[in-house]
């Protein structure tokens, strides 16, 4: 029996948080998004006018960039991805992991969107040697945000992190990067 999977486009990682957030919702529940209050509830936000406005603005921006086709049927939004995700950019994993990242109570001061972006990046790039700066440059966040996101993933049991060092001189070691592996408990597809 195949588990319920969710699919993301690696190119979405460079989008601003609000737009990425809306694409996560579309990837999760499909094209029938509901009304503005439903959008807020999906993200555990109160349906205040500022939250509704922010999410509507993100949907409108995605439509203007020709990423989605956006229709309004009465009070409900219907969004369809305009371009299929290419196999080259596709990142698939179990839907329950995306849900856990979305609703986790983080001890780190990091937004779930950034945790999910880092997780997707790590799944796509694999077990190559990398630095926080490389990840941050790719997904548009600071090195410290990447560190917090990786620590959150480690705390959740999603990844194992190893620092890679080289010896410089008799008593000195220099960190040249990190290797992150998916945990056996969060095995990929």
């Amino acid at each position: 029996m195949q588990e319920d999977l969710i699919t993301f486009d690696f190119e979405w990682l460079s989008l601003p948080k609000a737009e990425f957030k809306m694409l996560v919702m579309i990837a999760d529940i499909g094209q029938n998004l509901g009304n503005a209050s439903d959008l807020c509830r999906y993200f555990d936000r109160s349906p205040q006018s500022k939250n509704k406005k922010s999410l509507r603005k993100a949907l409108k921006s995605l439509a203007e960039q020709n990423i989605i086709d956006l229709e309004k049927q009465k009070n409900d939004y219907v969004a369809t991805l305009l371009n299929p995700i290419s196999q080259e950019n596709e990142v698939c994993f179990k839907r329950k992991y995306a849900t856990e990242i979305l609703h986790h109570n983080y001890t780190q001061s990091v937004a779930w969107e950034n945790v999910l972006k880092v997780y997707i990046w790590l799944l796509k790039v694999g077990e190559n040697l990398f630095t926080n700066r490389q990840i941050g440059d790719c997904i548009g966040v600071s090195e410290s945000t990447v560190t917090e996101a990786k620590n959150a993933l480690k705390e959740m049991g999603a990844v194992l992190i190893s620092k890679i060092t080289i010896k410089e001189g008799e008593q000195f070691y220099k960190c040249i990067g990190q290797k992150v592996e998916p945990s056996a408990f969060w095995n990929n597809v």
Side-chain angles (χ1 to χ4, degrees):
M1 181 175 107
Q2 185 177 7
E3 288 235 23
D4 191 21
L5 302 177
I6 189 165
T7 304
F8 295 95
D9 190 327
F10 191 71
E11 291 184 3
W12 295 350
L13 301 184
S14 61
L15 292 171
K17 266 185 5 179
E19 294 169 18
F20 176 74
K21 184 187 290 193
M22 293 312 308
L23 289 170
V24 168
M25 184 177 186
I26 294 166
D28 185 24
I29 66 170
Q31 57 187 14
N32 296 317
L33 305 180
N35 62 36
S37 294
D38 295 330
L39 300 176
C40 291
R41 282 189 282 276
Y42 176 84
F43 297 112
D44 295 330
R45 299 283 177 242
S46 64
Q48 298 174 5
S49 59
K50 77 173 190 167
N51 291 337
K52 292 180 194 178
K53 183 178 179 181
S54 169
L55 295 173
R56 283 192 299 257
K57 182 179 175 185
L59 282 172
K60 184 179 177 186
S61 176
L62 289 169
E64 289 170 352
Q65 295 175 62
N66 293 319
I67 296 173
I68 63 169
D69 178 44
L70 183 63
E71 294 180 35
K72 193 162 183 191
Q73 298 175 352
K74 295 187 181 181
N75 289 330
D76 290 348
Y77 292 96
V78 177
T80 308
L81 290 175
L82 289 176
N83 300 309
I85 300 171
S86 70
Q87 265 191 315
E88 181 180 297
N89 289 329
E90 185 179 89
V91 181
C92 265
F93 56 94
K94 294 176 184 174
R95 184 177 308 276
K96 69 180 182 179
Y97 300 149
T99 302
E100 188 166 336
I101 290 171
L102 176 67
H103 297 291
H104 187 74
N105 187 14
Y106 296 103
T107 56
Q108 292 79 14
S109 59
V110 63
W112 70 263
E113 299 93 321
N114 292 328
V115 176
L116 185 57
K117 282 183 173 188
V118 169
Y119 185 65
I120 292 169
W121 191 94
L122 292 170
L123 288 178
K124 182 68 176 173
V125 173
E127 297 177 14
N128 295 325
L129 183 66
F130 61 86
T131 64
N132 290 342
R133 177 174 289 172
Q134 289 170 310
I135 299 172
D137 289 347
C138 181
I139 66 174
V141 299
S142 69
E143 289 180 60
S144 62
T145 299
V146 172
T147 300
E148 291 295 321
K150 286 189 329 196
N151 288 340
L153 288 167
K154 184 177 178 182
E155 175 185 288
M156 295 168 73
V159 297
L160 305 171
I161 302 171
S162 306
K163 288 187 178 184
I164 308 299
T165 58
I166 57 172
K167 189 171 184 177
E168 287 190 345
E170 285 294 315
Q171 299 176 345
F172 299 101
Y173 290 85
K174 179 181 176 183
C175 180
I176 59 170
Q178 305 159 46
K179 189 173 185 178
V180 177
E181 300 173 88
S183 163
F185 298 107
W186 276 51
N187 60 341
N188 201 11
V189 178

